[in-house]
Amino acid sequence: MLKEERKQIILNEVMVHNRVLLTDIAELVKVSIDTARRDIKELHDEKKLKKVHGGAISLGFYNHNVQDKNVYSIEKKLQIARKATGLLKSGQVVLLSGGTTNMELARVLPPGLAITCFTPSLAVASQLLAKQNVEVILIGGKLSKDSQIAVGGTAINMLSEIKVDVCFLGTNSIDSGQGLTEFDWEIVQMKKAMIRAAKKIVAPVISEKLNTVQRYKICNIEDVDVLITELAPEDKALESFRDKNIVIL
Amino acid sequence: MLKEERKQIILNEVMVHNRVLLTDIAELVKVSIDTARRDIKELHDEKKLKKVHGGAISLGFYNHNVQDKNVYSIEKKLQIARKATGLLKSGQVVLLSGGTTNMELARVLPPGLAITCFTPSLAVASQLLAKQNVEVILIGGKLSKDSQIAVGGTAINMLSEIKVDVCFLGTNSIDSGQGLTEFDWEIVQMKKAMIRAAKKIVAPVISEKLNTVQRYKICNIEDVDVLITELAPEDKALESFRDKNIVIL
DNA sequence: ACCAGTATTGCAATTTTTTGCAGTAATAAT
DNA sequence: ATTATTACTGCAAAAAATTGCAATACTGGT
């Protein structure tokens, strides 16, 4: 097998699944892990994909900065995203915050699902545009450089004029005592506005973020209706959330 | 066997299988590996296939992921973008429509330039985010699936509340008689609103779009202050625009 | 037909590239 | 902090590319 062929196969794999593990490549194209790593390095240098710990992920056009450091957390986010799509029904109006978990959610929305999605995130909007049956409405405003979502008065204003069925609120930190917290003040204001704009709040959270606290508070844990992690609902890491009147998935 | 015959057979093999190994060629056309290598080198130089370590692969196969099918127009857009950046000064507030030319403009903005940019385009916004000194403000609204820019009432409303120094208005068709035209009604409305929101209109246009007309009208040619093409200002293709009180760059 | 000049081809010596491995450093999860 | 996984580095064997060279075939003009 020619090296260029291998690289093509790898690239294809990344396109389809958004990620690929080194061990999978080695298996797929029958080379050693080292060679697979070198191939990925070349593709990375050619800017065809992004090399990360454990493999590679696709180089979304809009996610230059918003990206993961390893492939395993993507796997977890995928599990979370799959659980989250189960909550959606055609005809609903949905609000998606930013973050990689919501990007993954946007990516795995079933093609048939016809919903309206509001989002202040470039990356999420970009993923949603690929879905034929999803109407995408961008929340405008000043773009925060690092999180790549619209923030500030304009955005909050726009949010104040809508009421959606459900909001998928990505969050950096969640704690059964302190609730949801965030380190960026502007984003906190956005998320508060998003909560006000939604009838129901779903928090998709990767388990690493459980029981961590940041500087500024978004809301109490009781304000969240559904908590989704990649863990089984009966996992003991979720114990402290069990008596909070939250649905845990 | 004649060399041209061999080359034809090799080319055919590449067409059919997307790839060929040197050893296979040597076998197939009964020549030494060295000659096979030379044949491939010639075909490579003739741009009939891509020579790689160990053999060759078809250009189509290789280019599948290289999206720049239109290398020349990218070069032209770059030239236009460079001219356009010359119009900008730090401190200005700018409005960028969508389109690949404006994306290119966003991409080549000098790092030192400190401006504020409004845009309804995901792609342009994403490019602008990479610039440290540029404040990016996203125009929100319903996203048009094909052009990937925000359109509709919300977006137009937001535009009605701003007045920018200059608007770079990408356009699909420009004609010295019919003015600027577009085939998508919603985008026409957006561009009209963008014109109202700007003190000065700059139209970056690739020369292929000169003297073409589409279904719906955006504005008269006189509403444009500066026309930028990749051509020299004295080029005869620009003749009909010369008496319209427009600056041509 | 002859000859000088040119192109093609195969071969051998040399250099470069690729690949897997082993030891070590770095990273992520518990 | 510890452990398991993954990444990086240098190395050596194998494969392929390059180069120079000689033998052969072909070309155009005489």
Side-chain angles (χ1 to χ4, degrees):
Chain A
M1 168 120 48
L2 295 169
K3 186 172 74 166
E4 294 298 326
E5 280 185 277
R6 284 200 318 261
K7 284 166 70 175
Q8 202 64 43
I9 290 169
I10 293 167
L11 212 45
N12 204 57
E13 193 69 10
V14 170
M15 294 289 189
V16 173
H17 294 98
N18 248 23
R19 74 186 163 285
V20 66
L21 278 66
L22 278 174
T23 51
D24 289 347
I25 297 174
E27 172 79 16
L28 193 66
V29 297
K30 309 282 184 221
V31 289
S32 70
I33 301 268
D34 302 75
T35 302
R37 187 174 286 118
R38 280 186 267 243
D39 286 348
I40 278 187
K41 181 173 188 318
E42 283 184 27
L43 288 165
H44 175 95
D45 293 343
E46 294 165 18
K47 305 212 193 300
K48 302 277 180 62
L49 47 71
K50 184 167 168 78
K51 179 171 158 314
V52 292
H53 194 97
I57 58 182
S58 83
L59 198 59
F61 195 75
Y62 300 97
N63 19 321
H64 294 298
N65 296 326
V66 197
Q67 246 171 14
D68 293 272
K69 287 189 288 296
N70 70 65
V71 286
Y72 306 109
S73 66
I74 293 185
E75 184 57 41
K76 293 177 188 171
K77 281 165 188 170
L78 178 61
Q79 291 179 265
I80 295 171
R82 283 201 217 284
K83 289 188 191 177
T85 57
L87 300 174
L88 293 169
K89 281 190 284 290
S90 279
Q92 283 187 314
V93 179
V94 179
L95 176 56
L96 292 175
S97 76
T100 45
T101 308
N102 272 338
M103 257 184 74
E104 197 63 18
L105 171 55
R107 198 176 69 81
V108 300
L109 284 180
L113 194 68
I115 57 176
T116 300
C117 283
F118 285 79
T119 182
S121 158
L122 286 188
V124 171
S126 158
Q127 289 289 340
L128 289 171
L129 274 174
K131 304 290 169 179
Q132 208 55 45
N133 298 306
V134 175
E135 179 172 33
V136 191
I137 300 170
L138 199 58
I139 309 277
K142 180 166 85 76
L143 281 175
S144 154
K145 288 270 180 203
D146 44 316
S147 63
Q148 306 208 352
I149 71 167
V151 297
T154 311
I156 290 171
N157 223 33
M158 194 163 161
L159 284 171
S160 75
E161 294 172 351
I162 62 177
K163 195 77 183 180
V164 302
D165 296 315
V166 52
C167 169
F168 289 88
L169 192 73
T171 184
N172 267 308
S173 297
I174 186 165
D175 181 86
S176 51
Q178 306 284 17
L180 276 63
T181 50
E182 188 86 30
F183 57 84
D184 185 319
W185 178 251
E186 277 186 314
I187 291 175
V188 169
Q189 302 312 310
M190 272 301 284
K191 293 197 172 168
K192 278 170 176 276
M194 292 173 86
I195 291 170
R196 287 193 297 272
K199 296 179 199 160
K200 186 171 154 184
I201 304 297
V202 179
V205 182
I206 204 162
S207 64
E208 293 144 24
K209 293 173 178 174
L210 293 173
N211 301 311
T212 61
V213 179
Q214 303 273 351
R215 186 182 301 264
Y216 306 117
K217 181 158 183 173
I218 300 167
C219 66
N220 290 318
I221 196 76
E222 289 83 6
D223 296 322
V224 174
D225 297 289
V226 183
L227 173 63
I228 305 180
T229 72
E230 84 278 12
L231 306 171
E234 57 275 12
D235 195 291
K236 96 177 201 301
L238 292 162
E239 214 159 80
S240 58
F241 297 90
R242 210 157 283 145
D243 55 346
K244 298 287 183 183
N245 195 29
I246 308 176
V247 177
I248 298 176
L249 293 180
Chain B
M1 168 132 32
L2 295 170
K3 187 169 73 163
E4 289 304 321
E5 281 185 86
R6 285 200 318 262
K7 282 167 73 173
Q8 198 55 52
I9 290 170
I10 293 167
L11 212 44
N12 201 57
E13 191 68 11
V14 170
M15 295 290 189
V16 173
H17 294 103
N18 270 338
R19 65 148 212 185
V20 68
L21 303 175
L22 277 174
T23 51
D24 290 345
I25 298 175
E27 173 80 14
L28 194 67
V29 296
K30 309 283 184 218
V31 288
S32 71
I33 300 269
D34 303 74
T35 303
R37 215 190 302 281
R38 285 173 185 131
D39 288 347
I40 277 188
K41 183 174 188 321
E42 285 184 24
L43 287 164
H44 174 95
D45 292 343
E46 295 164 19
K47 306 219 193 299
K48 303 277 179 60
L49 48 70
K50 166 98 179 166
K51 179 173 163 303
V52 297
H53 195 98
I57 58 180
S58 87
L59 286 178
F61 189 63
Y62 188 75
N63 282 342
H64 193 257
N65 292 66
V66 188
Q67 278 157 341
D68 43 58
K69 294 211 165 49
N70 215 331
V71 185
Y72 305 108
S73 71
I74 287 182
E75 184 55 38
K76 291 178 190 170
K77 281 164 189 169
L78 180 60
Q79 289 177 264
I80 295 171
R82 282 201 218 284
K83 289 187 191 178
T85 57
L87 300 173
L88 292 168
K89 281 189 284 289
S90 279
Q92 282 187 315
V93 180
V94 179
L95 176 56
L96 293 174
S97 76
T100 44
T101 309
N102 272 338
M103 253 184 76
E104 196 63 19
L105 171 55
R107 201 175 66 80
V108 300
L109 283 180
L113 195 67
I115 56 177
T116 299
C117 283
F118 285 80
T119 183
S121 158
L122 286 188
V124 171
S126 165
Q127 289 290 339
L128 289 171
L129 274 174
K131 304 288 169 180
Q132 208 55 45
N133 297 305
V134 175
E135 181 173 30
V136 190
I137 299 170
L138 200 57
I139 311 277
K142 181 166 82 77
L143 282 175
S144 155
K145 289 268 180 202
D146 45 317
S147 63
Q148 308 210 348
I149 70 168
V151 297
T154 311
I156 290 172
N157 223 32
M158 194 162 160
L159 284 171
S160 76
E161 294 173 352
I162 62 176
K163 195 76 183 180
V164 302
D165 297 315
V166 53
C167 169
F168 289 87
L169 192 73
T171 184
N172 266 308
S173 296
I174 186 167
D175 180 86
S176 51
Q178 306 283 5
L180 276 64
T181 50
E182 188 85 31
F183 57 84
D184 184 319
W185 179 251
E186 276 187 315
I187 291 175
V188 169
Q189 302 312 311
M190 271 301 283
K191 293 198 174 169
K192 279 170 176 278
M194 290 173 85
I195 291 170
R196 288 193 296 271
K199 296 177 196 161
K200 184 169 155 186
I201 304 296
V202 178
V205 182
I206 206 161
S207 64
E208 294 143 25
K209 293 174 178 174
L210 293 172
N211 300 311
T212 62
V213 179
Q214 303 274 353
R215 186 182 300 265
Y216 306 118
K217 181 156 181 173
I218 300 169
C219 66
N220 291 317
I221 196 76
E222 289 82 5
D223 296 321
V224 174
D225 298 288
V226 183
L227 174 63
I228 305 181
T229 73
E230 84 279 13
L231 306 170
E234 56 275 11
D235 195 290
K236 100 176 198 302
L238 292 162
E239 215 159 80
S240 58
F241 297 91
R242 211 157 284 145
D243 55 346
K244 298 288 182 183
N245 194 28
I246 306 176
V247 177
I248 298 176
L249 293 181

